[in-house]
Structures are given as structure tokens and as C-alpha cells.
Amino acid sequence: MKIKTKLTFGVGFLFLMIIVLSVVSGWYINQLKRDTNNILMANYNTLLYSRNMLLTLEDVKSDPMAFSTFQKHLQKQQKNVTELGEKEATENVASHFELLKTEPENQQIISSIRKDIAELMRLNMEAIEHKSSIADTTAYNAITVVSVVGTLCFLLAFILLINLPANIANPIQELSNSIKQIANQNYKERVHFESHSEFGELARSFNIMAEKIQAYSESKLDRIIKGKRRIETLIDNMHDPVIGIDEHKIVLFVNDEALKISGLKKEQLVGKQIQDVAINNDLIREMIKEIIAGTPINPNEEPMKIYADAKESYFEKEVIDINIIPTGESDSQFIGQVIMLKNITPFKELDLAKTNFMGTVSHEFKTPISSIKMGLQLLENNRIGELNSEQKNLVDGIKEDTERLLKITSELLNITQVESGVMQLNIKKSSVAEIVDYAVMANKAAAEQKQIDIQVKLSDDADFVTADSEKTSWVLNNLLSNAIRYSHENSKVTVEVYPENDKILFAVKDQGRGIEKEYQEKIFDRYFRIPGTRKEGTGLGLTISKQFVEAQGGTIFVESEIGEGSRFWFKLNSYT
């Protein structure tokens, strides 16, 4: 039977039973009302009239108005004759009353009237008892019929309450569970409704769908397995170590390169909690420290140095989060991570070779440059001979180029020291005034050429700093030199030094064009130049300055607005 038919039949039959119950209840109530009215309207009035006539009969001797009162009640009774024998009794009362009018003192007539009224009352009392029994029977029948019909309605409603929700909800629940099984790729799930209702049709349609999905899945399974093996082979043949973990940090796969550098076997990793493996393996512990701590990888972190393939190798670590959007959903779901180590050993070797080459070349340049400077000094000595104006201009040009070349060579030597890690610091109590004076004197001539006023604001509380005096002077000199170079003529450059907490802050402020926001983070990168500026120097000055400051435990920053100039500052520990 169809669900719609069941609902129509059940609810319709219950509605019909309620109507029947209402009709029967109304009919019996009407019957009871009628029987009650019969008692009240007829017999009760007769008893009332009879009582009044008896009371009036006692006063006929003393009250002249008693006859008219008796006559009035008698007339009402004559109009209210309803029972068998009541008419004769009423007529007897009337005939005896007529006799009483002629003989008011006759006690025998009065006694007869009393007997007639008593008979009248007896007839109505019996009628009341009879009608009361009829009303009781009607009430009993009403209770019986209404109870039976009400019980049938209750039973029908109870049956519908028990069966109808279950007939509708149970198939829906079973179908929902089966759909979840299909969603979980259990394509063998089937539903079986033996009814011929809409649910039966739905079950057959669901089973057909599941069979087709199962057939489709089985037809694609071989292709999926091949694709999985292809990916596994690809990962195994990668030259970079790769480890994959799921959202619970269980190792899913690991390639041969990762096994080689970790010294582990595949069965020691795959299927294990990676943090459990890391307890006994330093390399794995180093690889997952950010994952366990929940922190991002620092891009400036030094590469991992690992002894592999009978040599020291360098690797950069990268952790990739894997998020997917499940079919039919809109929110992404985290399913794991892939840890990759990029082998940068060849680049590291090239960088080291480049550093060595730069160091060698710079060192070799210093000797001929020193010879050139010595020759220039001899040419400028009047004892060697007088130079004409053209010769002096040539000597001055050679001298400027030699100074520039010597500065470039010094910067290259400094950067090679930084890159090779052989930079030596002599950190001690250093005079702030001496550092500032050195930088100002070194740039005094360049400032005078552009008519730039160098203003020094040295706080009285900034006396000494814990630093390498030579390296710090070099940094301040480089910042001041850049400020003069990029400032407009007839402008001002300010050097400020003041204490800030337990630090000493050195700042150089110019009035140049300023630096765009997008370039301020890159200004300390090696060889970086702001687009549109003159190409002077090597582009290593700020890089070396940053390395010198950070090597002493300090920090260096830049603040700049276009059209308002730039302010470079760095902090070092104050001497206490």
C-alpha cells in the first residue's frame, strides 16, 4: 500500500470515527435533555399545582379568596394533563370543587378533593419514576455507546501513533545510514524494503545506483592502483628526501633518499608516529621540530648540514600542508603534511667557491692598489717634480678611482668574511664619541662638496657602548656616506645618538627622496639596488652593515617616506 494511501486511510478513518462519536454523543445528549424536560415540564408542574391546591383547600373556610386561588391552580392543571388516568383524576377534583362551592363546610367533600389530588400526585410521581428510569437507561446507553466509539477512536489513534511514524521514519533512517555507507566508499551497501510503497520504489532506485557506483568503482580500481604505484615510484626516484604524514602525524610514505640520510629502514618509519621515531633519531627530530611546536619555518634559518654520501651535504627544509575539499562540500579539510629537504649542496659549494674567489681576488687587488696609491703620493710630492694643471687633474682622477676601487675591495673582503664565518669581533667598551667623530670626519669632504650640513646630536647619557669599535664605525660611516650620496645639495643630514632602555641607538637622518614601502624590506639584501637610483658601489654596504650589527647582538632598521627622506638606525648594547 502506498504511503499516501496509508495516511489518507488512517487519518480519514480516525476523522470519521471522531464525527461518529460527535454525532452519537450529541444525539444521546439531546435524548437526555428531552427526557429531563418531560419530567420538568409536565409532571413537576402537576405536582406543583397539586401542592398549591392542597394548601389553598385548608383556607376555604376562613379566606373568601381561597376559592378563586384554587380555581386558578385547577385551570392550570387542566391544561397540563399528560399521563394516563390524569384526566379522570383532574375531572374528579373539578366536580368535587364545584360541590364544595355550594357546601363550603362539608368535610366529606373536602376529604374527597384531597383524595383526588393525592391520586393526581400519585400518577405523576409514578410517571416521574418511569421517566427517570428511561433517562437512566438513555444515559447508560449513551455512556456505553460513547465509550465503545471512544475506545475505537483511541485504539485507532494508538495504532496510528505506534505504526505510522515507524513506517515512515524507519525506512528514512535506514536509507540515510546506507547513503552514509556509500559516501564512505562502501559500495556493497543495499537497502531492502519489502513493501510496495514509495519507499520500496526508492529502495530499488537506491540499489540500482549503488550497483552502478560499485561497477564504476571496480572498473576504476585498477587504474587507481596503477596511478598510486606511479606516484610512489615517482616519489622514490626523487633526488630530494620526502616524508609524508597524515593529520595524526603517522608516516604514510618515505622515499629512498630520506631513508638514506636518516639511516632508517622503511618499516621503521611507515605506519609509525613520526614523533616516536624522532625520539631516537636526531635528523627526524630536527625535521619535525616546527611541526610539533606548531610554528612556521623561519626563512632565514641556516640550512641543515647532514653527513651523507661520504661528504657534508646541505638541505633546506620545506613543510607543505595538504588540504582538500571533499566532494559535495565547500570547506577545505586538512589531511596531512609533506616534509621535503631540498639538496642545496651544489649551490652551497658554488657559493663557497665564489666567496673564496672574491676573497682571493680582493686580497690580490689590494697589493696593486696600494702600489698605485704610493705612486700617486710620489707624483704629488713636489720634490719629484712640478705637475701642470692637466697632470694634476689626471692625478686627482686616478686618486678618486683608486679610492673607489679600494672601498669596493674592502667591501668584498668584508662580505667574504661574513659569508665564510671567519669574521672576528673585538667587542669591548667603546667610546660613542670616537665612533661618531670617525664617521663624520670620513665624510666631511663629501658633505662639503654638496654643501650638506652634518648635524650631530649626541646625548650626554650615551658615553660608551659594548661593541667592536672598528666594525661599528664602519657601519655608521656607511650609513652617513649613503645619506650624503642620496641627499640634495644644500640640505641637512642629522646624526643622533641616545640611550634607549639598555641600548644605545645610532640614527642617520637625511632629506633625500626617500624609499618606497615595497623596497624597505629588501634594502638590506645583497646586491639590491632601488630601481631608478644611480649605480654606485657594489650594493653590499647595507648587507655588510646588517651583518656587522647583528653579529654584535644588535638590530638595524630603516624608516622612510617618499619626499621626506630616510632614517637608518641601529641599536647596540650600552656599556654598564
Side-chain angles (χ1 to χ4, degrees):
M1 185 182 294
K2 302 290 185 182
I3 298 295
K4 183 178 180 181
T5 305
K6 286 183 180 179
L7 288 172
T8 303
F9 177 77
V11 176
F13 186 71
L14 180 61
F15 181 72
L16 179 62
M17 292 297 294
I18 292 173
I19 293 177
V20 171
L21 178 62
S22 301
V23 172
V24 171
S25 301
W27 186 80
Y28 275 107
I29 291 172
N30 186 61
Q31 287 294 103
L32 289 173
K33 179 182 178 183
R34 187 192 64 185
D35 293 343
T36 305
N37 286 338
N38 286 338
I39 294 173
L40 293 175
M41 295 296 294
N43 303 110
Y44 176 78
N45 288 338
T46 298
L47 292 175
L48 179 64
Y49 301 151
S50 299
R51 174 180 172 278
N52 291 334
M53 285 188 291
L54 285 174
L55 293 174
T56 307
L57 191 63
E58 297 297 328
D59 299 330
V60 293
K61 294 180 181 181
S62 60
D63 187 4
M65 297 298 296
F67 285 99
S68 61
T69 304
F70 189 94
Q71 181 68 38
K72 182 177 67 174
H73 291 302
L74 179 60
Q75 290 174 353
K76 291 181 179 180
Q77 170 58 29
Q78 288 174 339
K79 296 178 182 179
N80 192 44
V81 175
T82 57
E83 303 299 331
L84 185 64
E86 187 178 355
K87 182 178 181 182
E88 291 79 4
T90 303
E91 290 176 354
N92 290 334
V93 172
S95 62
H96 289 142
F97 179 68
E98 292 298 327
L99 292 174
L100 183 63
K101 288 180 180 181
T102 59
E103 301 178 25
E105 301 296 332
N106 192 334
Q107 292 294 326
Q108 186 176 0
I109 296 174
I110 293 173
S111 177
S112 297
I113 292 174
R114 286 194 180 101
K115 290 180 181 179
D116 294 336
I117 292 174
E119 178 63 19
L120 189 63
M121 294 178 69
R122 183 188 67 80
L123 291 173
N124 280 275
M125 290 293 292
E126 291 179 353
I128 288 174
E129 290 179 0
H130 178 67
K131 290 179 181 179
S132 178
S133 65
I134 293 174
D136 289 341
T137 304
T138 303
Y140 176 78
N141 293 336
I143 292 173
T144 303
V145 173
V146 170
S147 298
V148 171
V149 176
T151 302
L152 290 176
C153 290
F154 172 77
L155 291 175
L156 180 60
F158 184 75
I159 292 171
L160 290 175
L161 179 65
I162 296 299
N163 294 325
L164 192 58
N167 287 337
I168 296 175
N170 291 346
I172 293 175
Q173 183 65 36
E174 185 177 348
L175 185 63
S176 298
N177 293 334
S178 299
I179 291 173
K180 291 178 181 177
Q181 292 293 326
I182 294 294
N184 292 330
Q185 300 182 0
N186 181 16
Y187 302 130
K188 295 182 180 179
E189 178 70 16
R190 299 291 184 273
V191 291
H192 302 285
F193 303 144
E194 297 180 357
S195 65
H196 297 286
S197 64
E198 291 87 347
F199 287 122
E201 296 177 1
L202 184 61
R204 287 188 290 273
S205 300
F206 177 85
N207 292 337
I208 293 172
M209 178 198 70
E211 289 174 3
K212 291 186 177 181
I213 292 176
Q214 182 180 4
Y216 178 80
S217 174
E218 290 175 351
S219 66
K220 298 293 183 181
L221 184 60
D222 182 61
R223 188 180 301 173
I224 293 171
I225 292 174
K226 288 182 179 178
K228 179 175 178 293
R229 289 175 179 171
R230 188 180 298 115
I231 294 173
E232 289 176 348
T233 304
L234 177 63
I235 293 173
D236 285 338
N237 285 278
M238 290 179 65
H239 297 297
D240 294 328
V242 179
I243 299 177
I245 59 176
D246 65 9
E247 64 272 25
H248 304 296
K249 296 181 176 57
I250 296 176
V251 179
L252 299 176
F253 58 84
V254 57
N255 68 351
D256 295 336
E257 286 295 324
L259 294 174
K260 184 188 299 183
I261 65 171
S262 65
L264 298 173
K265 296 181 180 180
K266 200 164 191 175
E267 54 270 18
Q268 293 177 300
L269 270 171
V270 177
K272 308 290 184 181
Q273 286 278 349
I274 195 166
Q275 54 264 48
D276 295 339
V277 179
I279 294 175
N280 300 315
N281 191 285
D282 295 337
L283 176 61
I284 301 298
R285 184 163 56 250
E286 180 68 20
M287 291 172 66
I288 68 168
K289 64 180 182 180
E290 288 86 5
I291 296 176
I292 300 301
T295 57
I297 296 176
N298 183 6
N300 297 322
E301 185 180 4
E302 288 294 323
M304 296 174 60
K305 186 165 67 172
I306 301 170
Y307 189 80
D309 295 332
K311 67 175 182 178
E312 287 185 344
S313 300
Y314 295 87
F315 294 88
E316 282 186 350
K317 179 172 54 179
E318 183 178 4
V319 178
I320 303 172
D321 292 338
I322 307 299
N323 296 283
I324 64 169
I325 299 178
T327 303
E329 299 183 15
S330 58
D331 297 331
S332 62
Q333 178 181 346
F334 174 74
I335 62 169
Q337 294 170 303
V338 175
I339 307 170
M340 296 183 64
L341 296 181
K342 297 180 181 179
N343 192 345
I344 60 170
T345 304
F347 303 102
K348 197 71 176 178
E349 291 174 347
L350 289 173
D351 190 58
L352 181 60
K354 179 263 299 178
T355 301
N356 293 333
F357 174 77
M358 287 173 55
T360 303
V361 171
S362 301
H363 184 74
E364 294 297 328
F365 275 178
K366 285 197 111 179
T367 302
I369 292 173
S370 299
S371 300
I372 294 172
K373 287 189 68 176
M374 185 178 295
L376 290 173
Q377 290 175 357
L378 291 174
L379 288 175
E380 290 178 336
N381 193 332
N382 292 330
R383 290 180 297 177
I384 301 299
E386 292 290 338
L387 299 176
N388 57 37
S389 59
E390 292 182 359
Q391 290 172 337
K392 285 183 179 180
N393 291 334
L394 288 174
V395 169
D396 290 339
I398 296 171
K399 187 177 181 179
E400 290 178 2
D401 292 339
T402 304
E403 291 292 339
R404 188 180 296 111
L405 187 57
L406 184 60
K407 182 181 179 181
I408 293 171
T409 304
S410 299
E411 289 183 352
L412 290 175
L413 283 174
N414 285 329
I415 198 65
T416 54
Q417 288 181 3
V418 171
E419 291 179 348
S420 61
V422 298
M423 180 176 59
Q424 295 181 352
L425 296 175
N426 183 21
I427 298 178
K428 60 180 181 179
K429 177 183 178 182
S430 302
S431 172
V432 173
E434 291 180 1
I435 294 173
V436 173
D437 289 342
Y438 171 82
V440 172
M441 292 304 297
N443 292 278
K444 186 176 181 180
E448 291 175 350
Q449 286 182 358
K450 298 181 69 174
Q451 297 180 352
I452 292 176
D453 180 22
I454 300 177
Q455 295 185 355
V456 178
K457 297 180 181 180
L458 182 60
S459 173
D460 295 335
D461 297 330
D463 295 329
F464 298 99
V465 64
T466 303
D468 185 316
S469 178
E470 181 183 351
K471 298 292 191 296
T472 306
S473 299
W474 191 97
V475 173
L476 188 59
N477 175 40
N478 183 71
L479 297 180
L480 186 55
S481 174
N482 288 342
I484 294 171
R485 182 184 306 154
Y486 295 107
S487 291
H488 305 298
E489 292 185 356
N490 300 311
S491 62
K492 179 177 65 176
V493 172
T494 305
V495 179
E496 293 180 289
V497 184
Y498 55 86
E500 188 175 275
N501 298 327
D502 58 343
K503 306 284 186 181
I504 298 295
L505 186 142
F506 296 80
V508 177
K509 174 74 170 66
D510 64 57
Q511 296 177 337
R513 64 182 295 272
I515 303 172
E516 290 82 350
K517 291 287 186 183
E518 61 267 24
Y519 301 135
Q520 291 181 18
E521 292 184 359
K522 301 178 181 179
I523 198 71
F524 295 102
D525 291 350
R526 191 182 306 172
Y527 305 118
F528 178 79
R529 293 180 183 277
I530 299 174
T533 58
R534 291 175 296 174
K535 294 184 178 181
E536 297 182 6
T538 60
L540 294 173
L542 290 177
T543 305
I544 297 171
S545 298
K546 185 174 186 292
Q547 295 288 346
F548 281 175
V549 171
E550 291 180 350
Q552 298 178 75
T555 54
I556 185 169
F557 290 95
V558 61
E559 299 169 351
S560 183
E561 292 290 339
I562 294 297
E564 297 182 7
S566 303
R567 182 175 184 264
F568 286 84
W569 55 270
F570 63 92
K571 295 179 182 179
L572 295 174
N573 294 322
S574 62
Y575 180 79
T576 56

